[in-house]
Amino acid sequence: MEIKAILSRKKDDFSLQDIVLSRPKNNQLLIKIVACGVCHTDVTVLNGTLPVAYPVVLGHEGAGIVVEVGENVSSVKPGDHVVLGFSYCGHCKHCLTGNASACTDFAKLNFSGKDEDGFTALTTTSGEQISQIFGQSSLATYCVVNEKNVCKVDSDVDLRYLGPLGCGIMTGSGTVFNTLQPKIGSSIVVFGTGAVGLSAIMAAKILGCVHIIAVDVHTNRLALAQGLGATHVINSREQNPVDAIYAITNGGADYAIDTTGIPAVCHQALDCLDVYGVMVVLAVSNAEISVNLNHDLVAKGKTIKGVLEGDASPKVLIPILVELYKKGQFPVDKLMRFYQPNEVNKAFADSASGEVIKPVIVFDESIYSGS
């Protein structure tokens, strides 16, 4: 079937084009995309940090409505509302122990450009193969995904706000809920208040952290962080964040999360910790940092930890986040601004400049506009 998709080529970042989408196989679904979030991981594909063969249709924070299911699909049916997550095999030791984000074949399934059978559902109208990412490529009007990629959600919740739960928001909140699991009364610092960082802040508030400190250089983002649960905000252009954190926490924080991938900021996240503090690195970056094993780690028993997709199983965490959103405890709508498909370049530019936390490309708003 012919669909509209935002196609990326090496010399042309974005172009809304007609392309061809294959019908779903036995274990797949056809999804009508309502909206898709713009994520920094999309940018890392464009800049080559995560190499994917061109041409490619980006988008991995899709949300939509099931149109058609393969004969082996049993968890959803046509008409169901779904959020799309990352691809995983479902049978390696990590998947079988509930750690789908650590799937042995994660890189292959999400960034090789093909599905688990070695095929892509996307081609140009002239027959040229188009790479998929995250098994979905949801910057399009429709996509075909494996049943494992979908998470059914309540139909009374606006899908335009839910797509980013499948990656950036899941990563930030999952890092707090699943990885750090801070005790009530503990202290946490979040460096970088984009979608990932703000999601971590909202999760820390839910779990009862007494000091929730946001560090950034954008005053508008810091103001939003305070509204979402940060007890303190630090503009690192105006004061030394490590000194300020030590003063706030009376000796250092229990946890720090870096979402920036900037080496100097990573060092600040490590330096601001108390004894036995844990620093988590979330940024997708090729940057390198150096540490002094004694001074930076051993002398205070500190830990540096990488986290994969918030150590989350999408089918478990996404419904929890939706329920928290419905109760007003996880107001993700405050992070988002909507764009039309022909505004995709502006959406990416606004994200890069810091003007918008989470741009969302809306492909079909008819179910909410009444048209």
Side-chain angles (χ1 to χ4, degrees):
M1 62 181 291
E2 284 201 4
I3 66 169
K4 293 282 188 183
I6 297 173
L7 188 70
S8 296
R9 293 185 181 272
K10 197 164 188 177
K11 294 183 180 180
D12 180 15
D13 282 351
F14 303 111
S15 176
L16 186 63
Q17 294 188 17
D18 292 321
I19 68 169
V20 178
L21 177 67
S22 299
R23 289 289 179 182
K25 294 182 285 189
N26 289 344
N27 59 350
Q28 295 180 327
L29 307 87
L30 175 65
I31 308 294
K32 180 181 177 64
I33 296 296
V34 171
C36 178
V38 168
C39 179
H40 180 68
T41 304
D42 294 312
V43 177
T44 62
V45 173
L46 292 176
N47 66 25
T49 302
L50 292 171
V52 177
Y54 286 93
V56 60
V57 173
L58 300 176
H60 60 282
E61 292 185 340
I65 301 171
V66 178
V67 175
E68 181 182 339
V69 300
E71 63 181 32
N72 294 337
V73 174
S74 60
S75 61
V76 293
K77 64 183 185 303
D80 284 344
H81 288 204
V82 293
V83 173
L84 308 184
F86 55 77
S87 294
Y88 56 95
C89 73
H91 52 74
C92 71
K93 66 178 181 180
H94 301 296
C95 288
L96 292 175
T97 53
N99 298 307
S101 59
C103 175
T104 301
D105 288 332
F106 187 93
K108 175 183 176 182
L109 293 174
N110 290 281
F111 301 112
S112 72
K114 302 181 185 299
D115 64 20
E116 61 186 6
D117 298 321
F119 297 98
T120 173
L122 304 175
T123 59
T124 65
T125 54
S126 62
E128 180 185 11
Q129 290 194 342
I130 300 171
S131 292
Q132 295 175 275
I133 69 165
F134 279 73
Q136 55 178 279
S137 288
S138 46
L139 279 175
T141 52
Y142 291 84
C143 70
V144 166
V145 300
N146 190 285
E147 182 180 13
K148 294 191 295 289
N149 283 61
V150 303
C151 175
K152 182 179 177 181
V153 294
D154 294 342
S155 60
D156 61 346
V157 184
D158 193 330
L159 283 168
R160 292 173 295 181
Y161 294 114
L162 300 189
L165 300 184
C167 186
I169 290 173
M170 178 173 64
T171 295
S173 61
T175 296
V176 176
F177 288 142
N178 300 325
T179 309
L180 296 179
Q181 299 182 11
K183 295 179 181 178
I184 293 176
S186 58
S187 55
I188 187 169
V189 186
V190 178
F191 289 81
T193 54
V196 174
L198 291 172
S199 300
I201 286 169
M202 290 188 283
K205 178 182 179 182
I206 290 169
L207 292 187
C209 291
V210 67
H211 294 129
I212 305 172
I213 305 168
V215 183
D216 208 310
V217 297
H218 298 286
T219 55
N220 61 321
R221 292 190 174 201
L222 290 172
L224 180 56
Q226 204 155 23
L228 293 174
T231 59
H232 301 79
V233 295
I234 299 170
N235 189 319
S236 56
R237 284 179 175 164
E238 299 174 356
Q239 57 182 319
N240 183 306
V242 176
D243 292 343
I245 291 162
Y246 263 76
I248 293 166
T249 60
N250 193 29
D254 299 307
Y255 308 100
I257 297 174
D258 174 69
T259 70
T260 71
I262 300 170
V265 178
C266 290
H267 268 290
Q268 291 172 345
L270 185 59
D271 293 343
C272 78
L273 294 173
D274 197 358
V275 176
Y276 291 125
V278 179
M279 170 199 169
V280 166
V281 182
L282 293 183
V284 179
S285 170
N286 285 328
E288 296 183 1
I289 67 169
S290 61
V291 296
N292 181 289
L293 294 179
N294 181 56
H295 178 269
D296 294 329
L297 296 177
V298 176
K300 286 193 174 183
K302 296 179 183 179
T303 299
I304 301 176
K305 184 175 177 59
V307 175
L308 303 169
E309 296 283 347
D311 287 335
S313 171
K315 289 180 182 290
V316 174
L317 183 55
I318 290 174
I320 293 172
L321 297 179
V322 172
E323 192 62 29
L324 290 170
Y325 170 63
K326 290 172 65 175
K327 292 181 177 180
Q329 296 177 273
F330 200 75
V332 293
D333 55 306
K334 294 184 179 180
L335 313 184
M336 301 181 192
R337 181 185 295 178
F338 297 151
Y339 296 78
Q340 295 301 306
N342 60 6
E343 299 176 303
V344 62
N345 284 292
K346 179 171 174 52
F348 274 78
D350 288 350
S351 176
S353 70
E355 179 180 338
V356 178
I357 302 296
K358 176 57 68 173
V360 175
I361 309 296
V362 179
F363 288 93
D364 183 3
E365 54 190 357
S366 61
I367 61 173
Y368 302 111
S369 65
S371 60

